[in-house]
Amino acid sequence: MARGSSRSGGRARSAITGRYISKAAAARHPRTSVVESGGSSKSSGTSSRSAITGRYVTKGTARRHPNTTITENGS
């Protein structure tokens, strides 16, 4: 199960399409979905995160695994 997919807060997003999905759909597809939290408004730039582990990954890893990574844009 992906980290964060069992959290009660936040919105769920598909790692494949990038679209927001229901929490029920995220629960059915934990390897390809991420539940996002509110996040800090101080962060800037972009970062990539694995939908499977929830850890931040390098840009190269995100390019090699586009269906299981989420690219997050900072404010």
Side-chain angles (χ1 to χ4, degrees), residues 18-65:
R19 293 182 179 208
Y20 288 101
I21 58 175
S22 68
K23 289 185 184 180
R28 286 192 304 272
H29 306 284
R31 289 181 61 90
T32 58
S33 60
V34 175
V35 176
E36 303 173 329
S37 60
S40 173
S41 61
K42 292 183 180 181
S43 64
S44 62
T46 60
S47 59
S48 298
R49 190 161 47 111
S50 169
I52 297 170
T53 64
R55 293 182 179 186
Y56 289 98
V57 297
T58 64
K59 290 179 184 179
T61 301
R63 274 193 299 271
R64 287 191 303 275
H65 306 281

